[in-house]
Amino acid sequence: MASIKALLAKPFAKKVAKRIKKWSSNPIETQEKVFQKLISEAAGTTFGKDHDFISINNHEDFVKRVPIRDYEALKPYVERVVDGEEDILWRGKPIYFAKTSGTTSGAKYIPITKESMPSHVEAARNAILMYINETGNTSFVDGKMIFLQGSPILKEQRGIQLGRLSGIVAHYVPKYLQKNRLPSWETNCIEDWETKVDAIVEETLPENMTIISGIPSWVQMYFEKLIEKTDKKVGDIFKNFNLFIFGGVNYEPYRAKFENLIGRKVDSIELYPASEGFFAFQDKQEENGMLLQLNSGMFYEFIEAEHFFEENPKRHTIKDVKIGVNYVMIISTNAGLWAYNIGDTIKFTSISPYRVTVSGRIKHFISAFGEHVIGKEVEQAMNEALKASGASINEFTVAPQINPKRGLPYHEWLVEFENTPIDFKDFSSKIEQSLQEQNSYYKDLIKGKVLQPLKITQIKTGGFKNYMKSIGKLGGQNKIPRLANDRKIADALYKRELVK
């Protein structure tokens, strides 16, 4: 017999789905309202005065007055907020800073305001409710749920709480979920990732786990430890586990491995959260892409990735975007980020409603020879080869080899296999073929004998984990970049003798 919570979940899910349909059916009007509200609310701030917000009436005015900035360019304003000044980027002071490790700027302090905080919490909840509304499945609501995340311990700096985003969000678990939620507060506060996962294994083993959530690479580590401890598949340990929620990376390269670890297929929901905002979530099980959050205090602009580094690239709003084009996503938010480049590239899979997939990072690409290879292309090539060969992997990254000992330069694929392909040559050629089909620049360089076909280098089991541990980035929200335009990661793997 269904519990009261399960019975109440369906009408609540229906109500939320109706609300979401209302704004997603009127996308351009919805974004225009968000835009006008952002400009009027921030007109009296230091940033608003510096950029003449009072005379901005439309997107064209905004483009003329507000240049695109990354964190480095916005930093002078952020530092004033960190120092305790009010009304700088947004009215008053933020309630939190989400502290992240920037690649070029050391620690980044991303403001979260009382206006922006609700969207971080509601989007994840709405993703689950949309799943309930679509499938009618409420069997998981009475079981235990685990969210693998950073420590919820926050520090205070000039009256503003400071911590990792996942730790901040942990303070907003709704009352009706608190009894269901794991790990315990004490376990969640453990800083060392391996110690924390061991404690989570102990805590969850006797429980009726129904939802498991986190970045796939770190959930994988949790699953492996469960199997090591019990000698059973995860699906046999947790018989009612039927929903996996993930974000941060493409799940496809992990799917075969996960189904093997679990022992069966489970439904999954993809999320697109970041410290700067919760941008999208999967709203339909059978649709490709995640519903872009157009009604959450964020105004979006999109620049075609191939034109991004030009002098004045065209800044599109959603009314101008096309399906399948690789765009750099630019945001302006009610946390005080303005024409801000978060560094992600996305592609639209649908414009009715607007759904996106994350295609990579504008900084994470290989173009050592003008090939412009992006994350989505290497992931798709890897997925096609894995499906054709029946092999499975734990992790991989790609780097250019510009000065090989002999022969032409090439792309080196550093792969940690779970199950190695029977025919390595065929596996490599499948990846090569897919990459050439997707990327004409790359194909031309191979045909023109500028590059030779890719080479695969096997990484020892646990090699990527050891590398992440060595740079202090094991667990939490950290992930291996799929590709880079340099050999920093590749050289570190060789140096630490993690190559087979």
Side-chain angles (χ1 to χ4, degrees):
M1 190 175 149
S3 69
I4 290 172
K5 196 189 283 185
L7 290 169
L8 290 174
K10 283 187 185 178
F12 184 38
K14 193 175 183 181
K15 188 178 171 186
V16 167
K18 202 173 172 185
R19 208 180 296 151
I20 289 169
K21 192 170 193 318
K22 192 178 176 187
W23 63 252
S24 63
S25 302
N26 295 287
I28 293 160
E29 185 190 324
T30 299
Q31 273 285 276
E32 182 58 26
K33 278 183 185 168
V34 169
F35 174 74
Q36 295 296 346
K37 189 160 197 265
L38 289 173
I39 297 301
S40 69
E41 296 266 327
T45 64
T46 301
F47 190 94
K49 288 172 186 170
D50 288 352
H51 296 80
D52 196 20
F53 273 24
I54 202 96
S55 65
I56 292 177
N57 296 307
N58 51 42
H59 180 240
E60 288 74 24
D61 294 342
F62 184 71
V63 169
K64 282 176 199 159
R65 288 165 178 77
V66 185
I68 289 160
R69 288 176 167 90
D70 59 10
Y71 185 81
E72 281 302 299
L74 196 68
K75 203 173 177 181
Y77 288 100
V78 176
E79 283 176 340
R80 290 177 66 179
V81 184
V82 172
D83 287 342
E85 288 189 55
E86 294 190 16
D87 301 328
I88 301 297
L89 287 162
W90 190 254
R91 290 180 292 109
K93 285 185 182 185
I95 50 173
Y96 299 104
F97 279 117
K99 190 179 178 185
T100 69
S101 51
T103 47
T104 54
S105 51
K108 288 185 184 177
Y109 295 87
I110 306 296
I112 297 175
T113 61
K114 68 177 189 296
E115 290 85 0
S116 72
M117 189 65 222
S119 68
H120 284 284
V121 181
E122 285 167 13
R125 179 205 71 178
N126 290 352
I128 296 173
L129 291 169
M130 290 294 275
Y131 170 81
I132 290 172
N133 188 61
E134 183 189 10
T135 64
N137 177 18
T138 58
S139 61
F140 56 85
V141 303
D142 295 310
K144 297 283 187 183
M145 308 172 185
I146 188 163
F147 299 90
L148 292 177
Q149 58 190 188
S151 169
I153 296 172
L154 305 177
K155 292 174 183 167
E156 192 167 303
Q157 193 165 306
R158 291 185 170 83
I160 300 169
Q161 298 283 304
L162 174 72
R164 295 191 191 106
L165 174 68
S166 60
I168 292 167
V169 172
H171 292 259
Y172 286 82
V173 178
K175 280 197 168 63
Y176 61 85
L177 279 185
Q178 278 171 4
K179 285 182 184 171
N180 301 58
R181 183 195 167 89
L182 286 169
S184 65
W185 187 267
E186 294 72 28
T187 297
N188 222 2
C189 290
I190 297 170
E191 283 290 344
D192 180 73
W193 189 251
E194 288 178 293
T195 310
K196 182 173 186 166
V197 175
D198 286 335
I200 289 170
V201 167
E202 294 302 324
E203 255 182 24
T204 53
L205 263 177
E207 300 290 352
N208 173 30
M209 302 302 302
T210 55
I211 292 182
I212 294 171
S213 173
I215 288 177
S217 48
W218 307 124
V219 174
Q220 181 181 314
M221 185 175 165
Y222 164 60
F223 282 175
E224 285 167 347
K225 284 183 181 271
L226 282 167
I227 292 166
E228 202 180 299
K229 180 105 180 156
T230 62
D231 209 22
K232 286 182 186 174
K233 298 274 189 187
V234 174
D236 292 329
I237 302 167
F238 305 132
K239 295 200 185 306
N240 298 315
F241 165 46
N242 57 17
L243 187 56
F244 173 51
I245 302 174
F246 68 94
V249 296
N250 184 354
Y251 180 44
E252 287 311 312
Y254 299 95
R255 192 177 290 276
K257 175 74 191 285
F258 266 61
E259 285 174 4
N260 181 41
L261 292 170
I262 297 164
R264 55 185 162 83
K265 289 186 177 184
V266 298
D267 284 349
S268 61
I269 301 174
E270 184 174 7
L271 309 177
Y272 181 12
S275 300
E276 296 87 353
F278 204 124
F279 304 122
F281 62 77
Q282 185 181 347
D283 64 317
K284 294 275 185 198
Q285 283 294 293
E286 298 305 318
E287 293 287 346
N288 179 25
M290 298 170 281
L291 186 69
L292 191 63
Q293 296 298 282
L294 302 174
N295 195 34
S296 298
M298 294 178 285
F299 176 72
Y300 300 92
E301 296 174 277
F302 305 93
I303 296 171
E304 290 182 29
E306 63 177 282
H307 300 302
F308 183 73
F309 294 105
E310 291 172 6
E311 189 73 37
N312 279 306
K314 174 86 174 143
R315 289 158 66 172
H316 301 280
T317 60
I318 54 157
K319 71 177 192 299
D320 305 315
V321 297
K322 295 180 174 71
I323 290 171
V325 175
N326 202 37
Y327 292 106
V328 179
M329 190 163 83
I330 307 297
I331 57 165
S332 297
T333 77
N334 54 8
L337 301 174
W338 300 103
Y340 185 85
N341 173 21
I342 58 167
D344 286 350
T345 57
I346 59 96
K347 287 189 177 187
F348 284 89
T349 58
S350 157
I351 53 172
S352 182
Y354 285 86
R355 292 195 184 97
V356 299
T357 57
V358 181
S359 52
R361 300 277 294 164
I362 193 64
K363 288 179 181 172
H364 291 170
F365 59 88
I366 299 180
S367 202
F369 308 91
E371 60 271 46
H372 307 294
V373 171
I374 61 169
K376 181 194 166 288
E377 291 165 352
V378 299
E379 286 184 332
Q380 187 176 318
M382 174 61 86
N383 291 339
E384 288 173 12
L386 289 172
K387 277 177 187 164
S389 68
S392 58
I393 60 164
N394 290 330
E395 197 58 89
F396 80 97
T397 192
V398 187
Q401 176 50 274
I402 297 167
N403 299 307
K405 284 177 182 164
R406 60 177 176 273
L408 295 168
Y410 57 88
H411 285 186
E412 183 175 17
W413 288 56
L414 300 111
V415 185
E416 185 183 320
F417 285 97
E418 167 72 11
N419 294 307
T420 51
I422 295 162
D423 187 338
F424 248 96
K425 200 175 171 187
D426 183 59
F427 186 78
S428 290
S429 68
K430 284 271 191 314
I431 294 178
E432 182 68 37
Q433 185 188 341
S434 174
L435 212 51
Q436 288 192 35
E437 282 169 6
Q438 293 181 76
N439 189 310
S440 57
Y441 299 111
Y442 179 75
K443 185 179 183 177
D444 290 346
L445 289 167
I446 297 285
K447 290 226 159 119
K449 300 281 190 288
V450 176
L451 292 176
Q452 62 173 309
L454 64 89
K455 294 184 185 298
I456 292 177
T457 299
Q458 284 195 70
I459 301 300
K460 292 176 182 174
T461 303
F464 281 105
K465 188 177 116 183
N466 289 340
Y467 165 71
M468 291 298 271
K469 194 174 181 181
S470 73
I471 59 167
K473 288 195 172 183
L474 188 67
Q477 305 304 301
N478 300 307
K479 43 199 181 276
I480 291 274
R482 277 286 170 253
L483 73 177
N485 208 31
D486 57 42
R487 290 190 58 80
K488 191 176 164 191
I489 296 171
D491 289 345
L493 290 165
Y494 273 98
K495 192 179 173 185
R496 295 180 191 282
E497 297 181 349
L498 299 170
V499 173
K500 273 193 176 179

